[in-house]
Amino acid sequence: MSSYKINLDAEEAAFQDQVDTIEKEWGRAWRSHIKRPYSAPAIAALRNTIPITYPSSIQARKLWDILNAHLKNGTCEKTFGTTEPTIVSQMAKHQQTVYVSGALCGLSEVQYPGCDHADYPWDTVPKVVDKIFKSQLWHDQRQKQFRMQHARLEREKLEAYDFLAPIIADGDMGFGGLTTTMKLAKFFVEVGVAMIHLDDLAIGLKKFTIGEGRTVVPTSEYLARLTAVRMQFDIMGADTLLMCRCDTDRSQFITSTIDPRDHEYIIGATKEVEPLVDAIAKGMASGKSYMVARDEWKAKSGLMTFDEAVKAAATEQQYQEYMSQAIAYGMALRDKRRVSKIILGFDVVFDWDLPRSKEGQYMWKPSVKTIVERAVLAAPLGDMTWARMDAPVWKDILEFHTEVRKAQPNRLFAFGFTGMYNYEKAGFSSDQIRTFSDDMAKLGIVWQVQPIWAVGGLNITAETFAKEWQKDGIAGYIETISKPSRIPPIVDGFHKPSYAGSYLADAFFATVAGQAITP
């Protein structure tokens, strides 16, 4: 094997220069909110010797300015999810950002589509981002070329859109261990994403039809995921933004009890009952459905958190004394047991293993408080926070964002709208629905997204056209599509040469021939 002689002085000097560069990168005012658990020398040791720059950094800084302008003005960006470059080209006329949803990718961009289980290949969403970003670059190029073939005064009347809207993409839960999460982050940077979001859900444990929805991971595992992404961005020297999404609201399980910060919310049985998995197996063997057998067991098991179990067993005075000693955030169950026994004089019946699922999950009691705690811990690793709230209860929204802002006064927030949520049934008046986005913007929720419009919205459009085409054929097409498309302002399509790239193609031929393509 060949080798080359290294000048150790030069190597050391280059390394120190890299450390200094990293410290300067981290010291910039717009990155001062990031707090890293690792050092600049550690990142310098992990970087390549050849510096590489990425468009992702340009898009990230652009996005940062957009979001902070909204924060300053009390306004918000309203966007939606898509995987289709043609739709993105139209969003440029109204939206400042583009969202690429994992759920959409898993339904329309894979060989084997499915529900939102995040069970598609790990590189699915980055590949869609790559497709969209390249289409944005193409539209930017063909628009610029078309404009520059006109004289300056003529350009005042021509279209001018910002086709390079920053892309925010769904990183789901990272798709595996920390090194897989790092590779995912790396791919996202390489394909031009401006920001990704990572959540605290467990891999492969989403369920939708049996009343058992989301499962979260321990707080420590969630923070490790975020740290891995931040580290990968730093290794690449990229300014790519990271959104910390918390899915603990309405989650029903947690994978492990390893982190004491989660113990307060883990549910146990307080009655002498058999394990849930045994009860379900017996019930199904006798002809009962899974859900009936499960619900019968839950009704007789006395499910509650340990603090609730103490309250049920204690006098009011004893409980107040217990809470004064056991209220500290992150207090482990073993310490809570010790305190309660001293005060009550006996062991409180509580077993969090009995309600475990067949996959080994522990039952979990979600609350706004749990989301706040996780969001505050995660905030220094990321640039933005998204608390997934499938049922937008206004008091919960207000509480969450108000409490997080106490710890992070200038925090940027995101919000995702559930497509089929019944706002009227939840008590929202028509006026409240109309001002919902504006009211949230005042809380710092500057990025608001409808993630899955491209399913329901496109299906309605396609079904309507399919029906009309079958009924009226080309005559209907001419009346509903062709004629309206040609009325100024002309709808973008192949009939519009500037949009279709015809002038750009001609410009390539002309340039090769040595002809001028500008006035």
Side-chain angles (χ1 to χ4, degrees):
M1 179 182 292
S2 62
S3 63
Y4 61 96
K5 185 174 179 61
I6 295 178
N7 183 314
L8 295 180
D9 290 336
E11 182 184 46
E12 184 65 24
F15 179 75
Q16 289 303 322
D17 285 344
Q18 208 166 35
V19 171
D20 293 342
T21 298
I22 292 169
E23 290 177 343
K24 288 178 182 178
E25 291 172 357
W26 294 357
R28 291 171 296 173
W30 79 288
R31 310 308 290 147
S32 61
H33 60 282
I34 302 295
K35 309 300 179 187
R36 299 164 172 86
Y38 46 79
S39 67
I43 296 301
L46 293 169
R47 281 192 178 181
N48 290 113
T49 55
I50 300 175
I52 305 172
T53 58
Y54 301 93
S56 176
S57 293
I58 297 172
Q59 294 299 87
R61 289 191 288 270
K62 181 177 181 178
L63 176 59
W64 181 257
D65 290 340
I66 289 171
L67 298 177
N68 277 278
H70 281 301
L71 183 65
K72 180 180 179 180
N73 297 327
T75 54
C76 68
E77 154 72 342
K78 294 188 280 285
T79 191
F80 55 91
T82 185
T83 62
E84 173 51 54
T86 305
I87 293 175
V88 172
S89 73
Q90 301 307 297
M91 293 174 71
K93 302 174 182 179
H94 305 283
Q95 273 70 45
Q96 294 175 292
T97 64
V98 175
Y99 179 57
V100 179
S101 158
L104 290 181
C105 290
L107 193 63
S108 65
E109 299 290 326
V110 293
Q111 275 187 305
Y112 305 106
C115 195
D116 184 19
H117 287 286
D119 56 357
Y120 44 83
W122 71 271
D123 59 353
T124 300
V125 180
K127 286 180 178 178
V128 174
V129 171
D130 187 36
K131 175 178 69 173
I132 290 175
F133 185 57
K134 286 176 179 174
S135 77
Q136 290 179 312
L137 290 171
W138 182 81
H139 281 292
D140 177 71
Q141 181 186 28
R142 59 94 182 155
Q143 176 181 256
K144 179 183 177 183
Q145 181 277 321
F146 181 70
R147 288 181 57 80
M148 298 314 296
Q149 76 176 29
H150 292 79
R152 177 174 177 174
L153 292 180
E154 292 177 324
R155 295 201 297 270
E156 289 185 5
K157 301 176 182 179
L158 299 179
E159 291 180 350
Y161 297 114
D162 182 1
F163 286 104
L164 295 174
I167 300 171
I168 294 93
D170 188 348
D172 279 297
M173 71 295 292
F175 289 90
L178 296 184
T179 53
T180 306
T181 301
M182 290 171 61
K183 291 174 183 176
L184 176 71
K186 186 175 189 291
F187 199 0
F188 270 125
V189 172
E190 291 171 340
V191 297
V193 82
M195 176 164 65
I196 67 170
H197 66 74
L198 217 65
D199 60 45
D200 56 352
L201 291 177
I203 297 171
L205 291 175
K206 280 186 178 180
K207 298 179 181 180
F208 299 96
T209 59
I210 58 172
E212 296 178 358
R214 294 189 289 272
T215 300
V216 294
V217 297
T219 297
S220 55
E221 184 174 341
Y222 175 47
L223 298 178
R225 285 179 184 173
L226 298 174
T227 302
V229 172
R230 176 58 59 195
M231 179 181 67
Q232 182 61 57
F233 290 167
D234 285 336
I235 291 171
M236 301 176 77
D239 288 328
T240 313
L241 304 182
L242 173 60
M243 188 192 310
C244 310
R245 196 173 91 171
C246 298
D247 282 57
T248 45
D249 182 57
R250 291 172 179 78
S251 291
Q252 294 154 303
F253 298 96
I254 187 169
T255 58
S256 169
T257 63
I258 193 64
D259 194 326
R261 290 171 291 191
D262 301 316
H263 289 187
E264 180 180 347
Y265 310 106
I266 298 175
I267 294 172
T270 59
K271 305 292 185 181
E272 295 295 335
V273 292
E274 62 184 328
L276 172 61
V277 291
D278 293 346
I280 291 176
K282 291 178 181 178
M284 294 180 69
S286 67
K288 297 177 181 178
S289 70
Y290 175 91
M291 289 184 283
V292 168
R294 177 200 62 194
D295 291 345
E296 286 180 353
W297 183 90
K298 290 172 72 173
K300 65 182 182 181
S301 62
L303 292 175
M304 61 186 76
T305 65
F306 185 77
D307 289 344
E308 291 170 339
V310 172
K311 185 175 183 179
T315 65
E316 181 61 28
Q317 182 178 351
Q318 288 174 325
Y319 181 67
Q320 292 302 322
E321 184 179 355
Y322 165 79
M323 290 302 292
S324 68
Q325 299 181 45
I327 200 173
Y329 174 58
M331 190 173 189
L333 176 63
R334 63 178 179 275
D335 296 322
K336 287 177 176 286
R337 285 189 182 279
R338 176 180 52 79
V339 172
S340 66
K341 185 174 182 179
I342 292 173
I343 295 172
L344 274 63
F346 56 86
D347 289 317
V348 173
V349 177
F350 178 85
D351 190 334
W352 61 22
D353 284 312
L354 292 176
R356 292 178 72 177
S357 70
K358 67 181 188 306
E359 293 86 3
Q361 305 144 286
Y362 294 84
M363 285 192 180
W364 172 261
K365 182 178 182 180
S367 68
V368 175
K369 184 170 175 283
T370 64
I371 324 172
V372 170
E373 289 171 352
R374 287 198 173 198
V376 169
L377 287 172
L381 293 167
D383 305 280
M384 196 173 192
T385 295
W386 178 359
R388 176 170 174 171
M389 295 181 169
D390 284 350
V393 179
W394 179 250
K395 68 177 183 64
D396 291 348
I397 294 171
L398 184 63
E399 179 184 350
F400 171 77
H401 294 91
T402 300
E403 290 301 312
V404 174
R405 277 187 130 181
K406 289 179 181 178
Q408 298 279 336
N410 297 314
R411 193 65 176 173
L412 299 171
F413 294 104
F415 188 88
F417 294 95
T418 302
M420 301 308 293
Y421 185 71
N422 191 330
Y423 288 84
E424 292 87 351
K425 186 176 180 180
F428 285 83
S429 67
S430 57
D431 288 337
Q432 287 174 319
I433 296 173
R434 192 173 297 108
T435 64
F436 193 32
S437 285
D438 293 338
D439 292 338
M440 289 198 297
K442 296 172 185 175
L443 299 175
I445 307 174
V446 296
W447 189 75
Q448 301 180 23
V449 62
Q450 209 306 319
I452 55 173
W453 169 85
V455 178
L458 280 185
N459 282 347
I460 290 173
T461 302
E463 196 275 336
T464 299
F465 173 72
K467 181 179 179 180
E468 291 176 349
W469 176 253
Q470 183 65 31
K471 175 175 175 288
D472 300 321
I474 190 63
Y477 181 86
I478 291 172
E479 292 301 318
T480 61
I481 303 295
S482 183
K483 285 184 178 180
S485 295
R486 298 177 186 277
I487 298 173
I490 299 175
V491 174
D492 291 337
F494 281 118
H495 59 278
K496 184 178 178 181
S498 60
Y499 176 83
S502 301
Y503 293 107
L504 179 62
D506 289 344
F508 292 147
F509 288 113
T511 301
V512 169
Q515 301 170 7
I517 62 170
T518 58

